[in-house]
Amino acid sequence: MTRFRSILSRVVALHVVAIGVISVAMPLALYWLLNEAANSLHRDALHSQAVTISGFLKPLASGVVLDIPPELEPLYAGSYGLYAYAVLDSAGHVLFSSRNDGSALFPPKESGNGEWVVRRRGTGSVLFGLSVSRTVDGRTYVIQVAQDLSHRDVIIDDIVASFLPSVAWITFPLLLALLLIDILIFRRALKPVREASTTAATIGPTNTEVRLPEKAMPTEIVPLVQAVNQALDRLEKGFRAQREFTGDMAHELRTPLTVIRARVDSLESGPLRDSLRKDLENMTHIVNQVLDIAELETFIVAGDARADLQAVCAEAVAFMAPLAVGQSKTIALGGSEKPVWVHGHAEALFRAVRNLIENAIRHAPTGGSIEVEVSADGTVRVLDDGLGVPEAERESIFRRFWRRDRTKAESRGLGLAIVARVAESHDGSVTVENRPGGGAAFTLRLRPAAA
Amino acid sequence: MRALLVEDSDELVALLKKGLAQGGFSADAVRTAADAAHALATMRYAAIVLDRGLPDDDGLNLLRDMRRRGDSTPVLVLTARDGVSDRVTGLREGADDYMAKPFAMEELLARLQALLRRSDNLLGRRLTFGNVALDAEGRQVIIGGAVRAFPARETAVLEILLRRSGNVAPKRLFEDHLFGLSGDVGSNAVEVYVHRLRKMLADSGATVKIHTVRGVGYLMAEEKTG
């Protein structure tokens, strides 16, 4: 059933088939019924003719005489007459006949009473008749009456013939009207389902509390709606648990760090305090990155989320400038000066750009420069003038905890992994290449959004 | 100066109280949002240091209630939950500043003082950074103890830089301050004043330097010694 996926189209398709069948079958059935009725009318007419003729049988001493009033004679006048008759005695001898040859209309069959018979004549026309037995003066006579169907009462046939086309003409529009009514009924019945679909479309990881309405739903669909709502309950629970876990983890890790930091800050100044502070800052940095990556793991950007990439980059450059300046490196923002709208979550994008800048600051030499460039097509390039990234490492540097030199203790492998994860969650990409003049150029591509 | 410290970790409270005392604050500490609401109802504080992760509530709810009541006491929000999805909410809820744990005590004090300055407090009169000081009311520039005569616009530039010392001051901020809403700002007008100020500072033997962050703004940082 791939062709008719919607209930409405299925109903319509089946209806069209039904209309086709009905518009053929109904006239046929009507035709048959009308014919039956016409035939029974004929039988009644013939029967009364037979009774009438039997009324003309007058008893005589030696038998009977048939006394037909002259005004009725033309009715039975040979081949022009409407009816033909024959009167037989109980032995089957023809006594009177409207035929010129005086023969019986059809052979008497055990002198059956009131039975009608159809017989073919040589000409191929159909003779329709019946016989009635009558007792006159103690003797039984059989009266046969017949009618050639080519001479049949024309009015009845006319009725049959003219009735059918009109029936056909009325049947078809009626059936079409029924189809339209059915479409309307189905549309009405399926309205809650359509509304539920609109509601369901708004459900996303950022909007998990929406549930489908069960009230107006047709009972056949309620179980489906309930099942969907239950699935949403479980999904929301999972999301909440994940969010709570990263939140709790942040609290559990950062609170002791804060206490240590405050304790270290309260120490007397000296080389010990300075080195402890440095260690703590490194530790904090790693904890923050781990928490970021844990959160980003399940982070999903809302479908309609938009962010101004230019503003995000300006904020990130401003945020990282003190670090760059502190290391005697210059940092600048270039490219578009107007807002660059992209599909995305501003804070997540901020963290991605911040990590790219942090990476660039780390690799730029003292006195070097870091350049951030925003393009109107939704890309950010972060350029440094360091050593660049060897071809073989251009993919692995985006992996978690990757480090060039495993013998060195200082692993900073999470920053670029965060960038890669943000790019992935935004349906974007991050790549790196070397600049012609030396240094690395990281490109973060995002999907542009309407302004 | 009295500050309210809303934080549930006893260890941290003890350390913060000590740090705040060094910064000239006497701090009342409460552990829960309910106690904080109670304290706020009975006492007026110069500033509030509010942790988000309180045992009975999110600190932001307390903040929201305060702002709804029309209480404009400066609030510095602390949070251990500095996640991608909740970082910005704190400021939108009416927090004046937002700090992620762990933080340096010095920074906490600096931010508190900045908040008080912004709320038109007495502390706002003198801005200092390195060996440069500005008497914001008297418009006097003091470098290395000696009073210098700086023109008004250069002084205004210096004030902006001092207020944001250690952080980038966006270029737009200078344009708004120097020329108001009316002026047609030449594209390099700010640059000209910054350039002049830079020269004046250098000539006066200041230990601070103005760095240009092209495309964003200016950053005043202390020059590294040695």
Side-chain angles (χ1 to χ4, degrees):
Chain A
M1 269 314 258
T2 46
R3 237 192 299 170
F4 299 109
R5 292 297 295 274
S6 90
I7 291 181
L8 200 58
S9 69
R10 282 179 202 189
V11 167
V12 170
L14 291 173
H15 240 273
V16 167
V17 172
I19 284 176
V21 171
I22 287 172
S23 54
V24 171
M26 202 164 87
L28 285 178
L30 281 172
Y31 184 76
W32 182 77
L33 282 171
L34 277 169
N35 254 341
E36 284 291 294
N39 285 341
S40 116
L41 271 175
H42 274 290
R43 213 165 62 200
D44 288 351
L46 285 174
H47 192 80
S48 59
Q49 279 300 323
V51 170
T52 308
I53 289 168
S54 75
F56 300 138
L57 283 175
K58 297 279 156 45
L60 273 177
S62 60
V64 287
V65 72
L66 186 64
D67 180 21
I68 295 173
E71 69 268 24
L72 289 182
E73 287 281 4
L75 258 181
Y76 313 106
S79 55
Y80 300 105
L82 199 53
Y83 299 104
Y85 68 86
V87 178
L88 287 79
D89 64 11
S90 51
H93 299 293
V94 179
L95 302 177
F96 313 99
S97 173
S98 62
R99 286 193 178 163
N100 297 333
D101 58 357
S103 62
L105 297 180
F106 39 88
K109 268 190 176 174
E110 301 110 36
S111 60
N113 276 3
E115 305 301 317
W116 59 272
V117 197
V118 178
R119 202 187 68 163
R120 261 175 203 287
R121 279 199 294 189
T123 55
S125 69
V126 177
L127 198 66
F128 181 79
L130 54 78
S131 55
V132 168
S133 60
R134 271 288 130 132
T135 310
V136 179
D137 209 17
R139 280 184 215 154
T140 307
Y141 300 95
V142 174
I143 300 118
Q144 296 182 332
V145 184
Q147 188 184 14
D148 191 328
L149 279 189
S150 51
H151 290 279
R152 188 156 104 161
D153 211 338
V154 194
I155 294 176
I156 294 174
D157 283 350
D158 273 357
I159 290 173
V160 174
S162 66
F163 184 69
L164 269 178
S166 22
V167 165
W169 278 117
I170 286 187
T171 309
F172 204 65
L174 275 179
L175 288 172
L176 275 182
L178 196 65
L179 175 66
L180 287 177
I181 289 167
D182 265 5
I183 291 175
L184 288 178
I185 289 172
F186 262 87
R187 282 185 69 89
R188 242 187 114 85
L190 292 177
K191 201 174 162 224
V193 180
R194 276 201 309 276
E195 282 169 356
S197 317
T198 320
T199 312
T202 65
I203 300 170
T206 49
N207 188 19
T208 47
E209 67 277 5
V210 178
R211 291 294 175 273
L212 301 182
E214 286 174 27
K215 264 190 184 167
M217 213 47 86
T219 42
E220 291 89 339
I221 300 173
V222 168
L224 176 66
V225 170
Q226 280 171 343
V228 168
N229 281 343
Q230 279 161 11
L232 286 173
D233 285 343
R234 289 193 293 272
L235 213 60
E236 189 187 11
K237 228 165 143 187
F239 266 109
R240 206 186 310 127
Q242 175 68 35
R243 273 198 291 265
E244 270 167 19
F245 177 72
T246 35
D248 290 347
M249 191 160 70
H251 191 260
E252 294 301 316
L253 288 171
R254 283 182 178 139
T255 304
L257 275 177
T258 315
V259 172
I260 298 170
R261 176 74 211 223
R263 237 186 257 292
V264 168
D265 281 348
S266 68
L267 291 176
E268 273 178 46
S269 61
L272 176 64
R273 189 177 78 167
D274 290 347
S275 62
L276 281 177
R277 274 183 179 174
K278 184 124 187 53
D279 292 346
L280 263 176
E281 270 156 24
N282 286 340
M283 179 74 200
T284 304
H285 189 79
I286 291 162
V287 165
N288 286 342
Q289 287 194 326
V290 168
L291 290 173
D292 272 1
I293 205 103
E295 190 188 357
L296 286 167
E297 205 51 62
T298 53
F299 185 78
I300 295 170
V301 184
D304 57 348
R306 290 186 334 138
D308 175 4
L309 194 58
Q310 207 277 335
V312 164
C313 289
E315 196 192 343
V317 170
F319 186 84
M320 295 308 294
L323 180 70
V325 167
Q327 297 184 16
S328 305
K329 296 165 188 177
T330 60
I331 182 167
L333 175 68
S336 176
E337 287 181 5
K338 286 182 200 137
V340 175
W341 290 103
V342 294
H343 160 78
H345 185 276
E347 178 59 27
L349 292 176
F350 171 79
R351 290 189 191 207
V353 177
R354 190 184 76 189
N355 275 292
L356 282 178
I357 296 173
E358 207 172 295
N359 180 71
I361 292 174
R362 192 174 315 123
H363 290 100
T366 304
S369 68
I370 297 99
E371 179 94 18
V372 180
E373 273 179 21
V374 195
S375 311
D377 64 353
T379 61
V380 188
R381 274 157 60 84
V382 178
L383 317 165
D384 65 55
D385 50 6
L387 296 170
V389 181
E391 186 115 31
E393 295 173 1
R394 286 182 193 165
E395 287 198 7
S396 44
I397 51 166
F398 293 108
R399 270 187 242 137
R400 294 173 197 178
F401 295 117
W402 183 86
R403 47 186 157 166
R404 185 171 292 141
D405 187 352
R406 289 230 156 244
T407 57
K408 279 187 185 164
E410 197 184 341
S411 159
R412 291 290 178 87
L414 273 180
L416 292 176
I418 289 170
V419 181
R421 177 65 199 123
V422 171
E424 190 191 357
S425 67
H426 281 73
D427 207 5
S429 68
V430 60
T431 52
V432 63
E433 55 197 17
N434 283 352
R435 299 167 73 185
F442 284 81
T443 309
L444 175 64
R445 284 186 189 81
L446 297 155
R447 288 198 287 134
Chain B
M1 207 160 309
R2 217 175 171 104
L4 180 65
L5 175 60
V6 191
E7 163 65 57
D8 63 312
S9 156
D10 290 334
E11 271 179 301
L12 195 54
V13 165
L15 290 159
L16 282 176
K17 270 180 118 168
K18 213 165 101 186
L20 285 169
Q22 280 166 1
F25 292 95
S26 69
D28 289 350
V30 289
R31 301 194 47 180
T32 63
D35 289 350
H38 192 252
L40 285 169
T42 51
M43 178 80 194
R44 213 179 133 65
Y45 292 96
I48 299 166
V49 178
L50 175 65
D51 184 34
R52 273 193 67 177
L54 297 171
D56 57 338
D57 202 357
D58 185 336
L60 287 185
N61 290 332
L62 180 73
L63 176 62
R64 211 174 297 143
D65 287 345
M66 278 177 62
R67 294 302 187 234
R68 205 177 294 143
R69 280 202 312 271
D71 187 338
S72 61
T73 312
V75 175
L76 174 60
V77 171
L78 300 179
T79 186
R81 302 181 181 220
D82 186 29
V84 172
S85 29
D86 47 18
R87 183 167 177 260
V88 224
T89 47
L91 286 168
R92 282 205 200 115
E93 300 292 349
D96 298 290
D97 205 353
Y98 194 90
M99 274 178 91
K101 288 180 177 178
F103 48 83
M105 197 61 222
E106 288 166 27
E107 201 185 344
L108 177 78
L109 289 174
R111 295 229 196 163
L112 265 183
Q113 266 145 11
L115 283 187
L116 291 172
R117 240 180 264 143
R118 236 185 281 168
S119 72
D120 233 346
N121 214 288
L122 289 171
L123 272 173
R125 286 194 180 162
R126 198 179 180 94
L127 302 164
T128 50
F129 190 56
N131 67 349
V132 178
L134 173 72
D135 188 316
E137 277 193 359
R139 314 305 292 169
Q140 248 181 353
V141 181
I142 303 132
I143 297 174
V147 177
R148 306 280 166 167
F150 279 13
R153 287 207 159 144
E154 282 79 350
T155 311
V157 170
L158 181 65
E159 185 183 347
I160 295 167
L161 288 166
L162 283 172
R163 283 193 188 279
R164 315 267 311 192
S165 57
N167 291 308
V168 173
K171 202 172 168 185
R172 187 178 21 84
L173 206 61
F174 296 93
E175 287 166 357
D176 292 351
H177 265 258
L178 291 180
F179 309 103
L181 297 169
S182 57
D184 225 6
V185 190
S187 62
N188 61 347
V190 174
E191 218 167 299
V192 170
Y193 289 113
V194 169
H195 180 77
R196 284 192 204 152
L197 178 63
R198 198 177 265 151
K199 198 164 177 301
M200 287 173 192
L201 287 174
D203 291 347
S204 320
T207 58
V208 297
K209 204 178 157 191
I210 304 169
H211 300 269
T212 305
V213 182
R214 186 164 51 78
V216 181
Y218 299 93
L219 166 71
M220 193 156 77
E222 269 189 279
E223 262 194 297
K224 273 185 274 183
T225 45

